[in-house]
Amino acid sequence: MKKCILMFILVMVFTLFITGFVQAQLTDEEVKIEKCKDVLEEMASRKDQAGAFSQLLARAGGIVIYPRLVNVGLGWGAMFGDGIVLRKDRSTQEWYGPAFIELKTASVGLQIGIQEVSLVLLLMDDKALAAFKSTDFEIGADISIAPGPLGDSLQTTVDFNDSIYAYSYSKGLYAGFTLTGSMIHADTKANRKFYEESITCETILNNKKVNNEVASKLVQSIEQISQ
């Protein structure tokens, strides 16, 4: 019995060591991409929305994933975090990116608490894609965004008139969570490190096909979920 317990402990220690070693070989940007993949797969596994989410993802021309947004408030509020955006070429089915982006929000009004939010935005049209290419824009200013439809499949009541559909899940309690007024900016430092050159989100999403191994695994997950 003692030998079995000792063997179990050794296996666990070895597994943790290997996991830590593999992660140590990844850049900060690749670790972020892995976290985005985890969030995507969690979103697609939720029973209340899995079917609708998968079908809507198949229609999308791009995807934005924020693995961790921090939302805090006490009369005034702030939300911040970083993520990635990828674009799908509808004619070739090829994916471009990722471009690294940041989100920041400051607001006043009825809000209290602290919350960690994982967020996925499905970009449905050229207007939404153009905004994330240019960055430095405000969500809700002139681009329509709506909560993503739920259910086992897309219902006939979904009219697809919105440019962006949002899916999220959270930890913690917060009153007053909203994306309206959030500012999107390019994470220029992360983009420069990942691509080893100064580069804009527009150039990335127009010209940089996915060729990083970690990013390719994320794309594979997107395509599997979309089937």
Side-chain angles (χ1 to χ4, degrees), residues 61-80:
I63 185 171
V64 177
I65 307 174
Y66 288 100
R68 180 175 176 267
L69 294 174
V70 178
N71 197 25
V72 295
L74 185 60
W76 58 271
M79 183 165 61
F80 53 88

Side-chain angles (χ1 to χ4, degrees), residues 7 39 46 71 73 83-84 120 176 188 194 199 204 217:
M7 183 62 69
V39 167
R46 298 193 158 234
N71 197 25
I84 64 171
V120 174
T188 54
F194 189 76
I199 189 168
I204 293 169
K217 290 180 180 178

